[in-house]
Amino acid sequence: MQKAIQENPKVKHTLERINGAARVGIWELDFKTKSYIIDNITCEIIGVPHGHKLGYDDSYGFMKHKSEAKKLASLMEKLVSKGTGFDIEIEIFHKTKDLILVRKIGLADVEDGVVKRVYGIFQDITRIKQAERELQATNSELNSIINSSAVAIVSINRDNNIKHFNSGAEKLLGYTAKEAIASLDPQSLLLPEQVYDFKLDLAKLYNKNPDEILPFKELAKQNKSDTREWTFRKKNGDLVPVELSLTPLKNEEDKHLGILGIFYDITDRKKAETELIQKNQILNYAEQITMMGNWRWNMITTEINWSDNMYSIFGRDREKDDVVFDTYFNYIHPEDREKVANFITKTVSDKKFTDVLHRIVLDNGTVRTVHLLGELVLNDFGEPTHMIGTCQDVTQLRMAEIKFRGLLESAPDAMIIVDENGIIQISNKQTQKLFGYTSLELDKKPVELLIPEKFMHTYETSNNNFFTTAKYNGLEKSEEFYGVNNKGVKIPIQINLSPLETEEGLLISVAIRDITEQKQAEYKILKSKERLEVLTDNLLNKNRQLADFAHITSHNLRAPVSNLNSLLGFYNTSEDEEDKAVLFEKFEIVVGHLTETLDTLVEALKTSNGAPTELKKLKFEDALLKTTEILTGEIHETGAIIKSDFTNVPTILYSKVYLESIFLNLVSNALKYRSPDRTPEITLKSFLVRNRVTLTIEDNGLGIDLERHGHKLFGLNKVFHRHPQAKGIGLFMTKVQIESLGGTITAESTVNKGTTFILTLN
């Protein structure tokens, strides 16, 4: 037969078409070449060109699993050696690397126990297996749904007996499937009144007598489905609300088999619906209390929906009066219509709803003020589709606001109301007058625009926070600041804060008073006080200067007189007439300096009546020369060596009396507190330190213990050595003189080594 098929081209062509449609190929093993002869279908299945020669061992390279390749090799060996046929399904790789499932059948022609020919069928069963798997998955899903405990499913045959009762039904109703299928009457689960209502609905629908209708059979007969809420009675007698979907069951011949019921527990949904109804009732009650209604505008269809209280606000009857797009606008006060129209246009263009306050005129002529709040709903393309919001009758609030505004405007001070974040809510005309901003310019602006100081911070900051103190103490608080007007000019102001607890949160009343005139008066008082203080300082300075002159006079005269006594002693003990002549000349010099000192002091005393000390350009060398001439007796007696270096700064602009007094005090102190163990050496130098004239006077005398006496070194009547002439005036007077002309004096000293005084003179 096979030979006949091969020889008949028509039959062969028909067979190839059938094989191609079924994806069935033919293969044969050539014993001589050890290769497979495969037809075009087989070539296409494994993805090789038509006429391809496939080696015996090459075929295993297409297989995915080595275990399957090993198994197929064993089957082929048995087929070739014994003629044992096989039928196996294996996974192979297509040349395009796609994984496919194929069926390979092996057959053999055997004569006298010898295998003469090996051939077979090669079929692509990928789609068949995929369809089988999908069918199995669908059946599994269907069985999962039917047997799921989440959904209750019951089927009833045409004899009104339960045929299927899944686990969901068992869980929901409390019956086992065995109990339900054996003896449970389906109508025993239903409330009679609901069954009768169901019959009435079917009777009206199909124009029949309700008493003649069997509900489930009627649905099946009419091939109609029904979904509605029922109340089922459970096995324990409890009632449970369910949503039941009834669907007729028919066979392929459209013959009625029964009905399928799918239902689930809607207890939570009914509870939520009840709560929603209660909340709507509460909302309606709240709207009545707050005189507020809600509305919805479909901007596509222009459909308008109002709540019950919206009708009440506008004095309309919901049962009798319909509302359309123009209904609301017809009630708007004529003077406010343009304002509202512009607001709506801006809302649509900006795609943002803020709020608007306007008046309406009712049918009886009553004028009310309403406050609109809303939200714009956009579609996926950002286009407005709906507008929803609330409308509140704020007539009474508006009247109270007008009264409050009147009180605010009558206040003598600038008044602003700010919220807890320091944002201005209201301002009066006095604020405009003081700062130059209009109320509109200040609306919703931060208070720092007027008062830059950060006196209103967040609550979490310092407890000394001005704003926080006002809030928590509940007291009025006052503090002075500087305000800034619209031109940037600073204005001295006093602020009074008063917290106001409202339903919308904390508000702060800020009273701002211009205290410019008060500040000017304070400035005048301060200036007068400063002048009095200057006058007092001048008087104290004059008294101090008089005391200084007294000390200078007594101190500066003591040294010349002492020198005269010393010279007089030398004169009386000297027997050499020539020495006496020299000493007498020195008498004349000392007496001359004493006379000059007296004249200078008298002149300084005359000019000290409030006038500043006269400053002259003086030479350090001249001051030192006069000092050495005055102290010539002590210098001669002690053999003191006095050195000076004034080359860096030879002159200074200073008071002649003070400079000579300073030199005389410091040099005489160096001589007075000399060391008995060595000849006195005194060195004076002048130089600049940071552009200030500095003078140092260094000696090698007894020195001063600065750790013990440093704190009282320049004190009045403070002495540091037991010297019969120590009075404790010289250093004190020197310090006062230097500091009175803006200078300083310090000392560095080591006991038994000497002292260096450092004078910064100007």
Side-chain angles (χ1 to χ4, degrees), residues 140-157:
S140 297
E141 290 176 2
L142 182 59
N143 289 330
S144 297
I145 294 171
I146 292 175
N147 296 311
S148 171
S149 60
V151 178
I153 301 176
V154 175
S155 65
I156 304 171
N157 63 17

Side-chain angles (χ1 to χ4, degrees), residues 40 182 209 254 315 438 457 464-465 546 561:
N40 292 341
N209 186 344
D254 202 29
T438 65
H457 303 296
N464 296 324
N465 182 302
L546 290 174
V561 171

